[in-house]
Amino acid sequence: MSAEPSAPPIRAPSAWAPLHIAAFRSLWLALLASNIGTWMQTVGAQWLLVEQSGSDTLVAVVQTASTLPIVLLALPSGALADTLDRRRLLIAVQCFLVAVGALLTVLTLADRMPATLLLTLTFALGAGQALTAPAWQAIIPELVPRPQLASASALGAISMNLARAVGPAVAGVLIARTGAGVVFGLNTLSFAVFVLALWHWHPPAAALADAPERFTAAVRAGGRYVRHSPVVRRILLRAALFLVPGSALWALLPLVASRRLGLGSGGYGILLGAVGVGAVAGALLLPRLHTRWPMNRLLVLAGTAFATVLVVLGLARSETVVVLALLPAGVAWVMVLSSINAAMQLFLPNWVRARGLAIYQMVFAGAQAAGAFLWGALSDGFGLVPAYLAAAAVMAAGVVTARWWPMRETAAMNREPAVFWPEPHLDPEPDDHDGPVLVTVSYPVSAAHEEAFVAAMEAVRRSRLRTGAVRWGLFRSGEEPGRFVEAYLVPSWDEHRRQHTGRLTGSDREAEECALSLADGPPRATHLLSAR
């Protein structure tokens, strides 16, 4: 008897596969130019303040002015990206950045740029970047097929690391020869390039949003979705457990370069370049590693490698050793953050994707800012070695917690929109802004299935609260044995109508069908509107 032919091995998508898609390629290259320009802008602003004031505090505040808008504006910008046409929003924001950059360039070349105005305009540029990030992240699933999302996320990490390595080096050369004004002008040009790339991209009609949500309701809905989604909360936790100790590398690396190794700006650029090379290598390896190892094992290995690098950075006295250690640091950094970012994009449904990614951006920026402050203070008080060793210990502790708080694999989850609720017919039909709406659903359940039914309704509870409900309860009828009544409150008829028409996913449907399989008959729903 002949043996059955073995199944062909699963081929991992190429790390460069998304770049074969013309729309993604042009936007990715434009964003790379913009990222390089942003790093050039930061160096130019810091150097201008060094020349004008010489104040360490003002120089440091440039970074704060750039990143603070991300923390303050992330969720509102995510709500805008989910309620407005994302392409048009991105074009409008980039035009705003062009205007701010042009003003900054002209005033600097005219030698009329005081420190307070420079910081104000830097904050404005940071606000534009805060508005850009969620919308850009949210359109990636519209640009590349689902199996290539991890590769697209890795390419995003390559863009950031290349910009981190190239931008400061180019800015240093240009500032020395031409001054900061030219650097600001090139940054402005990079925004214009992004506008052109967006102008030539036309998403399919199916990707365009229908009637937008109200802004305040959209912000609240985004917060509720994350609060009642254990998968998203776990992703954010794993990101924070890596980023807080991982930020020690970036926060203290300039001190390693200058104080311990005696390097100038050129030597520091070499160190950043080593991280960038490692990041590119990590992006190339990531698709293959995802097919070989489950995500949690990959995160454990990358976290362990990064903790080891932090120990080496704390103890090494040789430039060669530090450069060699930074190569795997770049690999691990990209592996962890690209995997986490891809998991978020795979899990979040389209209607709330930008808001969920905006909250991820808040965690990303906030964890690094808090970590940088912590490790900087520890280095000031006790020295570089204790600071790096403490960061390594925290990283190792975070790796150990993966045993109790693992990531859930999101690639196999059914996250496609699922419209399976019957259309409600009310007389008279409520206005969209009418509310609150109390929805009750009655289920007949036999005594043998009661315990399993109550347990299955826990997943239904989370689904209702994620998609619009603000309160939920499950009750047993006192007059009719074997009758359970689910009741949940939705702020408005518009919010409940959206539950019917696109907020639910295939996973929500599976949870509801599991509960219904334990009932003895079809459920009966009623909609109660406020009497006032």
Side-chain angles (χ1 to χ4, degrees), residues 195-243:
V195 170
L196 291 176
L198 289 165
W199 189 266
H200 286 93
W201 171 57
H202 297 283
L208 298 175
D210 49 12
E213 301 175 59
R214 290 179 295 168
F215 178 74
T216 53
V219 171
R220 294 192 191 105
R224 280 198 307 270
Y225 190 92
V226 172
R227 188 165 64 252
H228 296 292
S229 175
V231 173
V232 173
R233 294 203 312 270
R234 182 61 55 82
I235 291 172
L236 296 177
L237 174 64
R238 297 309 321 170
L241 289 174
F242 178 80
L243 286 165

Side-chain angles (χ1 to χ4, degrees), residues 318-385:
S318 165
E319 180 182 351
T320 302
V321 172
V322 170
V323 168
L324 291 176
L326 290 173
L327 293 172
V331 174
W333 183 268
V334 164
M335 284 185 175
V336 172
L337 295 182
S338 295
S339 297
I340 289 174
N341 187 278
M344 284 285 285
Q345 290 180 339
L346 287 167
F347 181 79
L348 291 168
N350 186 60
W351 71 269
V352 76
R353 182 177 294 131
R355 281 165 280 185
L357 290 167
I359 293 175
Y360 169 72
Q361 292 291 332
M362 288 175 62
V363 172
F364 185 88
Q368 289 193 87
F373 177 81
L374 172 64
W375 308 124
L378 197 60
S379 179
D380 273 338
F382 300 96
L384 272 174
V385 174

Side-chain angles (χ1 to χ4, degrees), residues 40 71 80 115 124-125 137 162 178 214 220 231 263 337 348 406 412 455 488 505 516:
M40 292 171 62
V71 178
L80 286 175
L125 291 174
Q137 292 286 335
L162 283 177
T178 61
R214 290 179 295 168
R220 294 192 191 105
V231 173
L263 302 175
L337 295 182
L348 291 168
Y488 58 95
T505 66
L516 289 175

Side-chain angles (χ1 to χ4, degrees), residues 172-188:
V173 173
L174 289 176
I175 290 170
R177 295 188 176 185
T178 61
V182 173
V183 170
F184 297 156
L186 289 175
N187 185 39
T188 304

Side-chain angles (χ1 to χ4, degrees), residues 422 439-444 477 480 483-487 516 519 521-527:
V439 183
T440 66
V441 186
S442 174
Y443 304 88
S477 172
E480 187 177 352
R483 174 71 59 179
F484 284 81
V485 178
E486 173 196 11
L516 289 175
R524 184 174 68 248
T526 61
H527 300 81

